Amino acid sequence: MSDSGIDPAELDADGLAVRREVLGSDHVDAALGRVDGTTADFQKLITRYAWNEIWTRPGLERRMRSAVTLTALVAHGHWEEFELHVRAARRNGLTPDEIVEIILQTAIYCGVPAANSAFRIAQRVLAEPAPE
C-alpha cells in the first residue's frame, strides 16, 4: 500500500466486484484513493464483510438490500452514506417512485425530521441522470 491509496489486489476480489457494481467504479476508485495507514484495514474489512459476506448472500435481492439500507441510514441520520446509497438503489433497480415510498415509510417509523432530511437529499440525487 502506498501513502495515497490501496492496491485493489489487497482487497477481497469478490467483495470489490460487488462494491463496484453497487456503488459504481468512480466512487470506489475515489474511496480507495483516499486510503492511508489509518483507513486501510477498515477498507479491507468492509470490502470483505459488507460487500462479499452480506451483499452476496442469496436471501435478498439487491433491490431489497438497497431498500433496507436506505431505511437504516435514515434511521441513524447517516446522510453522506444515504446520498451514496440513493444512487446505489437506482443502480440496483429501485425507481424514483419506490425510493420516495421508502422515505415516506421512514417518516412514520424513523421520524418526520429524518424523512425531511432524506427527501432533501433524495430530491437532489434523483434529479441527476440515472447511474449506469
Side-chain angles (χ1 to χ4, degrees):
M1 179 187 66
S2 70
D3 289 339
S4 61
I6 190 169
D7 181 351
E10 296 180 56
L11 299 172
D12 180 275
D14 293 334
L16 184 59
V18 171
R19 190 175 177 186
R20 288 184 186 287
E21 290 169 10
V22 172
L23 300 179
S25 288
D26 289 346
H27 169 80
V28 174
D29 289 342
L32 296 180
R34 291 188 297 271
V35 172
D36 64 13
T38 303
T39 59
D41 287 338
F42 177 68
Q43 289 296 318
K44 291 175 188 176
L45 176 92
I46 63 173
T47 301
R48 179 176 178 190
Y49 291 104
W51 295 107
N52 189 6
E53 298 293 329
I54 296 301
W55 276 84
T56 61
R57 291 181 55 80
L60 296 174
E61 62 182 39
R62 285 190 187 168
R63 292 177 85 256
M64 180 64 75
R65 289 189 191 283
S66 281
V68 170
T69 300
L70 290 175
T71 302
L73 294 171
V74 170
H76 291 281
H78 297 299
W79 303 121
E80 188 174 314
E81 289 286 314
F82 178 79
E83 181 174 342
L84 170 66
H85 277 278
V86 170
R87 289 184 188 98
R90 290 184 76 194
R91 193 174 284 110
N92 284 336
L94 287 175
T95 67
D97 288 343
E98 290 171 320
I99 293 168
V100 166
E101 288 299 323
I102 291 165
I103 299 170
L104 283 170
Q105 185 86 6
T106 68
I108 301 306
Y109 291 95
C110 303
V112 170
N116 189 44
S117 294
F119 272 118
R120 186 183 70 253
I121 292 165
Q123 185 176 34
R124 185 178 68 247
V125 174
L126 294 175
E128 299 171 356
E132 297 175 18

